[in-house]
Structures are given as C-alpha cells and as structure tokens.
Amino acid sequence: SSRVLWTLAVTQLARRPCRNMKLNIANPARVFRRSLRWRTRRSSGIFYEKRMAQDVEVDALGDEFKGYVLRITGGQDKEGFTMKQGVLLNTRVRLLLPKGTTGFANHRGREGERKRRSVRGCIVGPDLAVLN
C-alpha cells in the first residue's frame, strides 16, 4: 500500500489559549524530518484517547497527509513526566519502580531497591506537551 509508517512528535509551543502546536514528523529509515505548526483543536483531537503503539490515520491534518499512518511511541506531559506502556490511564500515577525502568534512572543504591515515582499513563490526553 502507499501508506508509510512514520513516528510523530507533537510539541505544545506555549501555554497560550489558542493552543499552538508543533508537529515534528520523522522517518528514521529514510532519514526524513519535517516540522509543521497549526492552531486548531480539531487536528490535535485525532490523537486523543489513543494508546501508545497504536497507529493513527492523519487524513484530518491536511491533504499532504492523505493516506499516511503515524504510530504513537511515547510522550511527556506539561511537567515532564513520561508516558509508560501498560498504565491504562490518561492521568499521572505513582508506581513502585525498580532501577533502570522508564521514569526511574537512579544509578546508585542497593541491589533490588525500588522507589515510588510518578509516571503518566499510556493514553493520550489534552495535558500532553510532547507526543512521540
């Protein structure tokens, strides 16, 4: 098919009422990167209630994206907490994480030590600042 799988990064530029958003599209296989900006809520709403590792058809972004599919690979909310696969919420939660997992990068400590860290669920919502 003519569809190509791309990775996506949506960055909220500023906390303005008009919700300016920045769309970074990258295809690592072709070494292709492009940045776009848009101001409508309609186009960013196509990602809401989608989960990580889910493919999204982006025909609503414009004619130049007809037939393309983007895969959501992760993201961060406005405060910088990362999305974690397997947490089926669109809010932030506190989990007991072992060393080396997403959201906990402590290189010191005892063997087998776990800490309670805040992570964001894997469902896309309006409070995300970056969507990969």
Side-chain angles (χ1 to χ4, degrees):
S1 73
S2 64
R3 294 189 203 175
V4 178
L5 190 62
W6 301 84
T7 57
L8 168 77
V10 177
T11 307
Q12 184 175 0
L13 294 176
R15 293 182 181 145
R16 299 179 193 150
C18 63
R19 291 194 60 139
N20 287 331
M21 301 289 279
K22 182 178 175 184
L23 174 68
N24 295 319
I25 300 174
N27 184 353
R30 294 187 182 181
V31 191
F32 174 80
R33 181 172 289 158
R34 185 166 180 199
S35 293
L36 302 170
R37 293 182 186 197
W38 77 91
R39 298 180 66 144
T40 62
R41 293 182 185 196
R42 176 180 54 88
S43 59
S44 63
I46 63 172
F47 301 107
Y48 292 167
E49 301 301 321
K50 305 287 188 206
R51 293 176 48 187
M52 285 176 58
Q54 190 171 6
D55 296 337
V56 180
E57 294 184 10
V58 290
D59 296 337
L61 292 181
D63 292 334
E64 59 186 321
F65 295 106
K66 290 272 188 219
Y68 286 104
V69 175
L70 303 179
R71 177 173 289 157
I72 300 171
T73 59
Q76 296 176 345
D77 63 4
K78 293 176 187 174
E79 287 81 23
F81 293 100
T82 59
M83 295 175 73
K84 185 157 182 72
Q85 183 70 288
V87 180
L88 300 177
L89 297 170
N90 64 352
T91 59
R92 196 178 314 150
V93 295
R94 289 182 56 85
L95 297 176
L96 196 58
L97 299 175
K99 270 199 268 187
T101 60
T102 304
F104 180 34
N106 189 5
H107 302 290
R108 297 185 303 242
R110 297 178 181 262
E111 187 175 334
E113 179 182 10
R114 300 185 301 170
K115 287 193 176 182
R116 192 163 302 276
R117 298 289 185 203
S118 292
V119 293
R120 199 184 178 291
C122 69
I123 299 174
V124 177
D127 62 336
L128 280 179
V130 177
L131 184 64
N132 299 326

